[in-house]
Amino acid sequence: LCTFLLFLLFSFLLKPETAAVLKRTLEALMERGAVVRNLENLGERSLPYKISKHKERHRRGGYFLVDFEGPPSIVSTMMDHLGRDIDVIRRAFLKHPGSKTEECSGIIPVNYEDKLIAKKK
């Protein structure tokens, strides 16, 4: 297994529709053997330039990062799958350099307040 980051740019959607797109994307990853480790919403904002995709012009979009582990073969099948999704404007997979998978020893509690304080510095 390899560790990947999936960058997603969705068309500008309302919250329930965005949740539905994320749900079907994550389900597709898990159906192909991926283990999703983290999902990060980078927010909605104006695009740096107009993007035409699926016969529409987009000016705003929602940015997301998905951190997951999976077989290397997952990249090509997910690129095809996401390319057909009308709500996905852009997608990109990045492999974590030098990443190695470790045996999971269980859920480790995370103190989110410490994470927020650390980012502000």
PDB file of all heavy atoms in Angstrom, residues 14 19 39 48 80 83 117:
ATOM      1  N   LEU A  14     -24.055  23.935  -3.067  1.00  0.00           N
ATOM      2  CA  LEU A  14     -24.577  24.139  -1.723  1.00  0.00           C
ATOM      3  C   LEU A  14     -24.056  23.022  -0.823  1.00  0.00           C
ATOM      4  O   LEU A  14     -23.621  21.975  -1.303  1.00  0.00           O
ATOM      5  CB  LEU A  14     -26.098  24.150  -1.749  1.00  0.00           C
ATOM      6  CG  LEU A  14     -26.732  25.257  -2.602  1.00  0.00           C
ATOM      7  CD1 LEU A  14     -28.243  25.085  -2.656  1.00  0.00           C
ATOM      8  CD2 LEU A  14     -26.370  26.627  -2.071  1.00  0.00           C
ATOM      9  N   ALA A  19     -21.636  17.678   0.243  1.00  0.00           N
ATOM     10  CA  ALA A  19     -21.533  16.473   1.074  1.00  0.00           C
ATOM     11  C   ALA A  19     -21.808  15.223   0.251  1.00  0.00           C
ATOM     12  O   ALA A  19     -21.142  14.197   0.418  1.00  0.00           O
ATOM     13  CB  ALA A  19     -22.501  16.564   2.249  1.00  0.00           C
ATOM     14  N   LEU A  39      -9.727  13.962   5.763  1.00  0.00           N
ATOM     15  CA  LEU A  39     -10.397  14.778   4.750  1.00  0.00           C
ATOM     16  C   LEU A  39     -10.309  16.212   5.234  1.00  0.00           C
ATOM     17  O   LEU A  39     -10.692  16.517   6.363  1.00  0.00           O
ATOM     18  CB  LEU A  39     -11.861  14.357   4.598  1.00  0.00           C
ATOM     19  CG  LEU A  39     -12.738  15.270   3.757  1.00  0.00           C
ATOM     20  CD1 LEU A  39     -12.271  15.301   2.314  1.00  0.00           C
ATOM     21  CD2 LEU A  39     -14.181  14.834   3.846  1.00  0.00           C
ATOM     22  N   PRO A  48      -8.611  30.868  -9.870  1.00  0.00           N
ATOM     23  CA  PRO A  48      -7.630  31.810 -10.413  1.00  0.00           C
ATOM     24  C   PRO A  48      -7.915  32.202 -11.861  1.00  0.00           C
ATOM     25  O   PRO A  48      -7.477  33.247 -12.319  1.00  0.00           O
ATOM     26  CB  PRO A  48      -6.299  31.077 -10.290  1.00  0.00           C
ATOM     27  CG  PRO A  48      -6.644  29.656 -10.052  1.00  0.00           C
ATOM     28  CD  PRO A  48      -8.019  29.604  -9.487  1.00  0.00           C
ATOM     29  N   ASP A  80     -10.204   8.092 -13.871  1.00  0.00           N
ATOM     30  CA  ASP A  80     -11.302   7.877 -14.824  1.00  0.00           C
ATOM     31  C   ASP A  80     -12.642   8.148 -14.168  1.00  0.00           C
ATOM     32  O   ASP A  80     -13.506   8.819 -14.737  1.00  0.00           O
ATOM     33  CB  ASP A  80     -11.271   6.442 -15.367  1.00  0.00           C
ATOM     34  CG  ASP A  80     -10.085   6.180 -16.264  1.00  0.00           C
ATOM     35  OD1 ASP A  80      -9.489   7.152 -16.773  1.00  0.00           O
ATOM     36  OD2 ASP A  80      -9.740   4.998 -16.441  1.00  0.00           O
ATOM     37  N   GLY A  83     -13.093  11.820 -13.481  1.00  0.00           N
ATOM     38  CA  GLY A  83     -13.210  12.550 -14.748  1.00  0.00           C
ATOM     39  C   GLY A  83     -14.622  12.528 -15.302  1.00  0.00           C
ATOM     40  O   GLY A  83     -15.031  13.439 -16.030  1.00  0.00           O
ATOM     41  N   ILE A 117      -3.745  25.483  18.050  1.00  0.00           N
ATOM     42  CA  ILE A 117      -2.762  26.394  18.640  1.00  0.00           C
ATOM     43  C   ILE A 117      -1.436  26.290  17.888  1.00  0.00           C
ATOM     44  O   ILE A 117      -0.799  27.298  17.615  1.00  0.00           O
ATOM     45  CB  ILE A 117      -2.586  26.091  20.144  1.00  0.00           C
ATOM     46  CG1 ILE A 117      -3.871  26.443  20.889  1.00  0.00           C
ATOM     47  CG2 ILE A 117      -1.395  26.841  20.713  1.00  0.00           C
ATOM     48  CD1 ILE A 117      -3.907  25.947  22.318  1.00  0.00           C
TER      49      ILE A 117
END
